[in-house]
Amino acid sequence: DAKTTQPNSMESNEEEPVHLPCNHSTISGTDYIHWYRQLPSQGPEYVIHGLTSNVNNRMASLAIAEDRKSSTLILHRATLRDAAVYYCILKGISNFGNEKLTFGTGTRLTIIP
Amino acid sequence: DAGVTQSPTHLIKTRGQHVTLRCSPISGHKSVSWYQQVLGQGPQFIFQYYEKEERGRGNFPDRFSARQFPNYSSELNVNALLLGDSALYLCASSDTNTGELFFGEGSRLTVL
C-alpha cells in the first residue's frame, strides 16, 4: 500500500482556518485520497475524499496538488468539536474487494479556545 | 437511521479464553470490515466481508476469524486470547458505490 506522511500534531485557534498537510509521493494513478477523523472515544468518521480535483463538502475542503504527491485538508473555521486525530489515507477503486483502509498514526489536532 | 452498532461495548477476558464480537451494519450496506486499534495507534485492518464472502484479510494470526450472516451482520471471533489482543475492535460498513466507510463506536476488549 502506498504510504502517507502527516505531522504528528498541530494546534489551531478556535474560529481560525486549519490546514492539515499530507504527503503521498508514491501515490498511484488510481488511488483516491481519503480523510477520516477520530474524535475521542469514537470510531473514525469519514471527512472527504478526492482523486484529482479539489473537493468541497459541508465538513471541509480538500486541496490536491497538481502532481498528486501531496494534499491539504482545510477546515474553514475550526471549532472545539474539530479536535480529533485526522488520518490521510490512500485507497484504490472500490470494487467490492478493496474496502481496506490503511491507517497511519495521523495528525492530532488541538483547538485552542 | 441507525448507524453501525457493535456489541458488547466493553468486555474483560482472561488469557486463553475466546471472545465473540458482533456488528450490525447500516441498513442496505452489504460490506462489513473489522479493524483492531491498539492504544495510541491507528486502526489496523483485520477482515472485510461482502455478500457473506471474505474479500480481504489483514496480517493477523489464524486465531482471528469472522463471518457474515444473510442479514449482513457480522461476528469477529478471537481464540486463545493473548494480552496483546487488548484493543478497541472497530466494525465498519460501507456503501460500495461511494467507497465511504461508516464505523461503529467499537468494542473495547481487555485481556488480563
Side-chain angles (χ1 to χ4, degrees):
Chain A
D1 294 328
K3 191 174 178 181
T4 63
T5 304
Q6 301 177 251
N8 289 332
S9 62
M10 291 183 64
E11 287 185 350
S12 181
N13 294 321
E14 192 177 12
E15 298 187 5
E16 295 287 322
V18 181
H19 291 235
L20 296 164
C22 181
N23 288 319
H24 30 78
S25 58
T26 59
I27 190 171
S28 75
T30 56
D31 282 339
Y32 284 77
I33 302 158
H34 286 244
W35 284 81
Y36 281 75
R37 71 179 186 181
Q38 188 170 20
L39 281 65
S41 302
Q42 294 189 23
E45 172 189 33
Y46 169 82
V47 177
I48 200 167
H49 77 280
L51 184 63
T52 55
S53 303
N54 295 344
V55 183
N56 300 295
N57 67 19
R58 63 175 180 82
M59 289 181 69
S61 295
L62 177 60
I64 301 172
E66 197 169 333
D67 63 6
R68 301 210 325 126
K69 293 183 184 297
S70 65
S71 60
T72 302
L73 179 70
I74 302 166
L75 307 179
H76 294 286
R77 193 165 170 270
T79 70
L80 295 177
R81 288 175 293 181
D82 291 322
V85 178
Y86 286 78
Y87 297 98
C88 170
I89 300 165
L90 301 182
K91 184 174 176 293
I93 297 171
S94 294
N95 59 3
F96 309 128
N98 187 24
E99 302 301 329
K100 172 184 175 183
L101 295 178
T102 300
F103 289 82
T105 52
T107 296
R108 182 172 298 278
L109 176 64
T110 300
I111 304 298
I112 302 168
Chain B
D1 285 342
V4 176
T5 57
Q6 294 187 241
S7 63
T9 54
H10 296 80
L11 69 166
I12 300 173
K13 295 285 188 178
T14 57
R15 282 176 295 175
Q17 287 188 312
H18 83 276
V19 67
T20 298
L21 307 177
R22 296 177 176 84
C23 173
S24 293
I26 291 173
S27 177
H29 287 188
K30 300 179 180 179
S31 177
V32 171
S33 302
W34 287 94
Y35 289 77
Q36 180 196 65
Q37 187 172 26
V38 175
L39 198 62
Q41 298 183 18
Q44 299 298 306
F45 174 77
I46 310 175
F47 287 110
Q48 185 220 341
Y49 277 78
Y50 177 76
E51 290 278 18
K52 295 169 287 181
E53 291 190 5
E54 182 182 303
R55 295 301 184 110
R57 174 185 286 254
N59 188 24
F60 281 81
D62 292 343
R63 298 184 296 107
F64 289 76
S65 64
R67 56 180 174 168
Q68 187 177 33
F69 299 99
N71 66 355
Y72 304 114
S73 67
S74 178
E75 283 183 355
L76 175 70
N77 294 283
V78 186
N79 293 324
L81 286 167
L82 304 174
L83 296 179
D85 295 330
S86 295
L88 180 68
Y89 288 85
L90 294 159
C91 173
S93 72
S94 60
D95 175 349
T96 49
N97 290 325
T98 66
E100 177 183 346
L101 269 67
F102 295 83
F103 285 83
E105 296 197 352
S107 295
R108 183 164 297 282
L109 171 65
T110 302
V111 182
L112 301 177

